[in-house]
Amino acid sequence: MFSAIKTLYQGVDVCINNAGLARPEPLLYGKTEGWRNMIDVNILALSVCTREAYQSMKERDVDDGHIININSMSGHRVLASSISHFYSATKFAVTALTEGLRQELREAKSLIRVTCISPGLVETEFAFRLFNDAPEKAAATYESLKCLKAEDVANAVVYVLGAPPHVQIGDVQMRPTEQVS
């Protein structure tokens, strides 16, 4: 992917890590395959893309780039729902990785900024994939309140990217007004 970006666009100036998934795999009896899938997508892929984006910026002397991790409110709190605990752990890892990256960039004297955007309930295919055996449960998730839309998250990305170069926005936590947790 990054070699194609280099060929087509010379490299990456802004990286938005937006992949994420959850599997209904509780801590006490979840399947290792489901846990591994969440780790691979939510942690490892994000870390690989971050590394490659940084290397692309560094080799081209881009020092005003931006890395944005689309995280989740689940990276800041744990719901009382056993099927979401492992997912929350992967999202807590994204919170830690974002702050660790910010610190490493400061150590490197880089002005590349890093931001974590953590939305609550967004109306996407997320719940339908989580509850793939129960589409009615997924639909009910989105019908229970007025959810965020993908456009709301995109607007947060635009806001963060529009900040002056001397402003580091570390974390944006956003959720539907009606969402309790």
Side-chain angles (χ1 to χ4, degrees):
M1 171 175 57
F2 281 87
S3 62
I5 291 169
K6 184 175 184 175
T7 301
L8 294 170
Y9 305 105
Q10 288 77 49
V12 175
D13 292 0
V14 174
C15 175
I16 302 171
N17 289 308
N18 188 40
L21 59 84
R23 297 283 183 246
E25 305 291 354
L27 298 173
L28 297 180
Y29 56 86
K31 295 181 186 84
T32 304
E33 178 184 330
W35 294 344
R36 187 170 285 119
N37 189 218
M38 286 186 272
I39 289 170
D40 286 349
V41 172
N42 298 350
I43 300 172
L44 192 56
L46 175 139
S47 299
V48 169
C49 288
T50 296
R51 179 194 64 210
E52 296 303 311
Y54 171 73
Q55 292 299 325
S56 173
M57 292 179 211
K58 186 177 177 190
E59 73 185 26
R60 295 175 302 112
D61 294 321
V62 171
D63 202 34
D64 60 349
H66 208 131
I67 297 169
I68 299 174
N69 293 329
I70 306 298
N71 194 1
S72 169
M73 285 302 300
S74 291
H76 302 276
R77 49 92 168 115
V78 178
L79 294 175
S81 170
S82 64
I83 66 167
S84 68
H85 293 155
F86 197 90
Y87 170 74
S88 290
T90 67
K91 292 305 187 171
F92 267 84
V94 172
T95 302
L97 288 166
T98 303
E99 176 58 17
L101 176 62
R102 187 195 68 76
Q103 291 178 19
E104 287 188 31
L105 289 167
R106 295 301 76 82
E107 275 180 32
K109 306 277 191 258
S110 173
L111 297 177
I112 296 169
R113 295 181 286 176
V114 61
T115 301
C116 190
I117 297 178
S118 300
L121 194 57
V122 182
E123 191 171 355
T124 65
E125 73 284 348
F126 185 87
F128 288 97
R129 291 188 178 161
L130 176 61
F131 302 116
N132 63 346
D133 294 337
E136 66 285 345
K137 190 171 184 176
T141 300
Y142 296 132
E143 293 167 0
S144 64
L145 54 91
K146 183 171 175 52
C147 299
L148 296 174
K149 304 287 185 199
E151 181 180 343
D152 299 319
V153 179
N155 287 337
V157 170
V158 170
Y159 170 75
V160 164
L161 289 172
H166 71 283
V167 175
Q168 168 81 36
I169 299 173
D171 198 1
V172 174
Q173 294 184 23
M174 56 191 293
R175 65 186 95 183
T177 304
E178 298 174 69
Q179 185 174 343
V180 175
S181 62

